[in-house]
Amino acid sequence: MVRLERGIRPEEVRQQSRHVLFVEGKDRNSVDPQVLNELFGEDHIKIEPLGPSYSVKSVAQALYSYHPSYYFLIDRDHHRDDFIEQCWANFPDPDKHNLLIWKKREIENYFLEPGYLFQSKYREVSQEEIERKILQFVEDRLFMDAANYVVTSIREELKKNWIEKFSNLDEFSSKDAALEKLKGASEFKTHRTDVCKIISPDELENRFNHIVDQMLGDADKPVFGEGKWIDMIQGKKVLTQVIHSGCFKVQATDGSNLSGKDKLNAVVKDLLKKETEVQPHDFTVLKELISSRVNG
C-alpha cells in the first residue's frame, strides 16, 4: 500500500534526500572531514571519508547517474588546470560526475597563509614567526617534492592506453600465428622508444627544472608572493610541522596540552569559525556550490 504524506516541511525533504559529500581520509578524524564538517555546519549534508583520491574518483565515476545528491572532493595530485577548472565551472555535471578537485595540492595548503594562521586563538607567536616557520619547512622539502612531481607525471603518462587489444580472429588461427602477431605489434617498439625518451637523463632534468621554476618563480628559495610553491608543496606535511613547532598551544578541558592530530584539528576548526571574509576563496565557493544543491 502506498501512503501519500502531506504537509512535509522543506527542511525534511532536504534531510531525506541524503546529500553526501565524499572526501579523502581514512576516518572521520582525518583533516578533510574535520575541516568540511566545520565549514558546512548545519547545511544538512553528511561528510564521509572514502580513503585515497583514486577511490573517491572511481566511486564518483560509478555512482553519479544513480545518486545525483552524492558529491565527491579530492586532492589536486596530478590533475591538469583545465580539467580542474572545468569541474568547478560545470558542477554539478549530470553527464559526467559530481566531482570537484582542490585547486591547491591538498586541503592543508589553504592553511599555509601566515595571516590566516595568525588569527587562530591558539597561536603563541607573531605572524612573522609563523611565516618564518612555513618558509623553513617548505625550503627543507621543496626539491624532494619537485622530484616527486616528476615521478608522478611520468607514472601517469605511462598508464595511458598506448596499445589496443587484438580483434581480428583470423590472424590467430594457431599458437605460432598468435605469437608472431603479438611479437610483431608495432606499438611495443613505439612505446619502448617513448619510455626511453621520458626517462632519459635530459628529459628528467628538463622536467625537474620546470617544476622547480614553477614553484620558486624568480626567487632562488621559497618567498611569499613568488612562484606557486604554496599551491604545490605537500601541504599536509608542512602544516603539521608548523602546528607542532611551538607556534600553537591547545589545551584540553582537563588542562593538559593536546598533541598530534587532535591539536591540528583544533587549530583548523577554530580558523573555520572565523568570519567568511577571511576564509580561503575556494572554501567559500565550495560551500556556495554544495549549499545551493542542498537547499535548492
Side-chain angles (χ1 to χ4, degrees), residues 112 114 125-140 222 224 229 238 242 245 247:
L112 296 181
V125 297
S126 66
Q127 182 172 324
E128 290 73 22
E129 179 62 9
I130 294 174
E131 178 176 326
R132 189 185 71 81
K133 289 288 189 180
I134 292 173
L135 292 175
Q136 173 191 333
F137 296 133
V138 168
E139 187 171 3
D140 287 345
F224 282 99
W229 60 263
V238 175
V242 173
S245 65
C247 293

Side-chain angles (χ1 to χ4, degrees), residues 186-205:
S186 61
E187 291 91 340
F188 289 119
K189 182 178 180 180
T190 301
H191 186 65
R192 184 162 51 248
T193 301
D194 291 342
V195 171
C196 289
K197 289 179 180 178
I198 290 175
I199 63 174
S200 70
D202 287 345
E203 179 63 14
L204 293 176
E205 183 175 349

Side-chain angles (χ1 to χ4, degrees), residues 52-67:
S53 62
Y54 62 83
S55 297
V56 180
K57 188 175 181 181
S58 296
V59 174
Q61 293 169 334
L63 294 185
Y64 74 91
S65 60
Y66 302 101
H67 296 282

Side-chain angles (χ1 to χ4, degrees), residues 168-193:
N168 187 351
L169 190 60
D170 293 337
E171 297 176 331
F172 295 83
S173 57
S174 68
K175 180 180 178 180
D176 289 341
L179 183 58
E180 182 179 357
K181 185 67 179 176
L182 178 63
K183 293 168 66 175
S186 61
E187 291 91 340
F188 289 119
K189 182 178 180 180
T190 301
H191 186 65
R192 184 162 51 248
T193 301

Side-chain angles (χ1 to χ4, degrees), residues 131-296:
E131 178 176 326
R132 189 185 71 81
K133 289 288 189 180
I134 292 173
L135 292 175
Q136 173 191 333
F137 296 133
V138 168
E139 187 171 3
D140 287 345
R141 67 175 304 108
L142 186 138
F143 295 126
M144 184 181 74
D145 281 5
N148 283 334
Y149 265 102
V150 176
V151 170
T152 301
S153 67
I154 291 175
R155 192 165 59 190
E156 291 303 315
E157 287 181 34
L158 295 182
K159 286 181 183 178
K160 292 179 180 178
N161 187 11
W162 50 271
I163 184 171
E164 297 294 332
K165 292 190 295 184
F166 301 110
S167 58
N168 187 351
L169 190 60
D170 293 337
E171 297 176 331
F172 295 83
S173 57
S174 68
K175 180 180 178 180
D176 289 341
L179 183 58
E180 182 179 357
K181 185 67 179 176
L182 178 63
K183 293 168 66 175
S186 61
E187 291 91 340
F188 289 119
K189 182 178 180 180
T190 301
H191 186 65
R192 184 162 51 248
T193 301
D194 291 342
V195 171
C196 289
K197 289 179 180 178
I198 290 175
I199 63 174
S200 70
D202 287 345
E203 179 63 14
L204 293 176
E205 183 175 349
N206 289 337
R207 288 177 182 238
F208 178 74
N209 287 335
H210 175 69
I211 294 298
V212 171
D213 289 344
Q214 276 190 296
M215 296 177 82
L216 293 180
D218 293 327
D220 58 1
K221 65 179 183 178
V223 177
F224 282 99
E226 277 288 347
K228 299 176 65 178
W229 60 263
I230 199 167
D231 297 340
M232 299 172 67
I233 205 73
Q234 193 170 358
K236 190 184 302 294
K237 298 290 187 181
V238 175
L239 181 63
T240 299
Q241 288 178 291
V242 173
I243 296 299
H244 296 100
S245 65
C247 293
F248 298 86
K249 181 179 179 180
V250 184
Q251 287 189 318
T253 53
D254 63 2
S256 62
N257 291 330
L258 292 184
S259 61
K261 190 175 291 185
D262 291 336
K263 181 180 181 180
L264 174 62
N265 288 341
V267 173
V268 299
K269 288 169 72 174
D270 170 61
L271 288 170
L272 288 159
K273 290 183 172 70
K274 309 298 180 184
E275 58 271 20
T276 303
E277 290 73 21
V278 305
Q279 299 302 330
H281 177 67
D282 288 351
F283 286 5
T284 304
V285 174
L286 172 68
K287 186 173 182 180
E288 290 174 352
L289 283 174
I290 299 293
S291 297
S292 66
R293 293 279 293 173
V294 175
N295 300 318

